[in-house]
Each structure stands twice: as structure tokens, then as C-alpha cells.
Amino acid sequence: MAERTQKNPLGPTGECLSENISRLRRARGMSYRELSEKLSELGRPIPTLGLSRIENRERRVDADDLMALAVALAVNPNALLLPPVSDKTEVEITAGGSVPTWKAWRWGDGREPLKDPFDEDDFADFQLNARPKGRRRYHVPGERTSDQKAAQRAASAEIAARLYPDDVPKQQAFLEREAKMDPEAWAGD
């Protein structure tokens, strides 16, 4: 008789996914039946028993189920894959090791590589491949107009002001980091 290979056990990302689905379903006041009906309306049915098994870590979620669950729960897919915090709390990323949740979110949002430390070449490679043109934080020199570069600088300044509303030195430090990551936008026209 052929030896049967065991499936990979549910990893840390799968466990986080299960917890997030349960948390978000409850936060929206949805029963298993209501979520199941919503998924059926969206064209990706998952029976109530399947949803219960997902939340109890007894059933895996494939990529299509993940997208449908994100739509049904009105979140982006990363809100299901990553913890609901972004701070110094450590999270285990499947095949990526333990990292602070803020780092996991920056990686999940396509802002920087998961590996640490990373150099300029790692950052550029990640940006060129993790996001499409127009959504990158790193750009091939010459691909943006002056208006696009000015908009990038203005957006960064707004983010700095929101993150550090009463701390000008921290705003300036944030903008200096942004300038290092995107020197073309900050070099002027």
C-alpha cells in the first residue's frame, strides 16, 4: 500500500486568518448563516459548517475563498491575513519568521521587504515587483511627471503631519526617511 503523505499543518498565518474571520464576523453581528448567504450571493458559497470549521482551524482557506471572505466582510485581504494591530507585538509569518506587527503590515502593504535589514537594492527590487506601476513607492527614474513627484511630496507631508501632529522634529525625520526612499521625488524638478 502506498504511503500517504500528511498535509502541512495549519501555520501561523492560517491561525491568524481563522481568528480574524471570527473577530470580523462577530463585529459585524453576522451569524454563520448570514455570512454563508452573503458568500453565496457573491458567487463563492461556503456552507455554515465550512465557516465553522475555518474558525475552528479545521478547514483551510484557498485564495479564492480568501478574496470572497474579504469582500463579504468588507475588508482588504491583508486584514484577514495579518493581526489587527500594528505595533511592536511580534507575529509569526509563515516562512518569514517572527517580526513586529508594524513590519508585517509594511510588508503586507507593499511598502518594504520583510527581510531585515534590507539595502537600497532590496528595496528597489521589492518595490518594482510587489506593486504595479503607479502604485510603487520606488520608481524607475524618469517615469513620473513633475506633478506626480509634487503629489508624492505633498502626500508624504500630510502623512507626517497626521502621524506626528504636534512634533515637528519627528515630522522632519519622517520626511527625511521618505526622501531617502524616493530621492527622485525629493530632488526637485
Side-chain angles (χ1 to χ4, degrees):
M1 181 182 250
E3 192 174 312
R4 198 174 156 165
T5 58
Q6 287 208 344
K7 293 181 184 178
N8 282 335
L10 193 63
T13 304
E15 291 176 5
C16 187
L17 174 72
S18 296
E19 292 169 14
N20 284 332
I21 291 169
S22 178
R23 176 181 57 79
L24 290 164
R25 179 184 61 77
R26 290 180 178 150
R28 281 152 178 63
M30 297 175 86
S31 66
Y32 287 130
R33 189 185 57 145
E34 290 168 325
L35 181 54
S36 179
E37 288 171 0
K38 178 76 171 171
L39 289 162
S40 291
E41 290 169 16
L42 294 170
R44 188 71 182 182
I46 300 176
T48 56
L49 180 60
L51 292 170
S52 173
R53 287 183 173 164
I54 288 169
E55 288 187 12
N56 290 316
R57 303 174 183 178
E58 298 166 355
R59 180 187 184 276
R60 293 176 174 278
V61 174
D62 69 21
D64 293 309
D65 290 344
L66 172 71
M67 297 303 274
L69 284 160
V71 171
L73 293 168
V75 296
N76 67 0
N78 285 341
L80 297 178
L81 296 170
L82 297 171
V85 296
S86 180
D87 56 24
K88 293 179 182 178
T89 305
E90 292 285 315
V91 61
E92 187 72 22
I93 300 292
T94 303
S98 183
V99 298
T101 53
W102 67 264
K103 177 79 171 166
W105 273 102
R106 286 185 63 85
W107 170 68
D109 287 341
R111 293 181 58 109
E112 66 183 47
L114 187 61
K115 87 176 213 175
D116 210 13
F118 59 86
D119 61 26
E120 185 178 341
D121 291 334
D122 296 327
F123 182 75
D125 181 69
F126 180 80
Q127 286 294 306
L128 289 171
N129 294 293
R131 298 180 125 190
K133 184 177 177 179
R135 298 292 301 152
R136 298 181 196 135
R137 297 206 39 146
Y138 177 88
H139 301 274
V140 174
E143 79 177 358
R144 290 180 290 175
T145 67
S146 296
D147 288 344
Q148 289 171 322
K149 291 186 272 185
Q152 178 64 49
R153 292 190 301 270
S156 294
E158 183 178 337
I159 291 168
R162 286 184 181 188
L163 286 173
Y164 310 107
D166 299 320
D167 194 335
V168 173
K170 283 188 178 180
Q171 289 178 25
Q172 290 172 334
F174 177 88
L175 294 174
E176 287 171 10
R177 284 192 306 274
E178 292 288 299
K180 284 182 182 177
M181 291 193 294
D182 191 0
E184 183 188 30
W186 293 84
D189 296 314

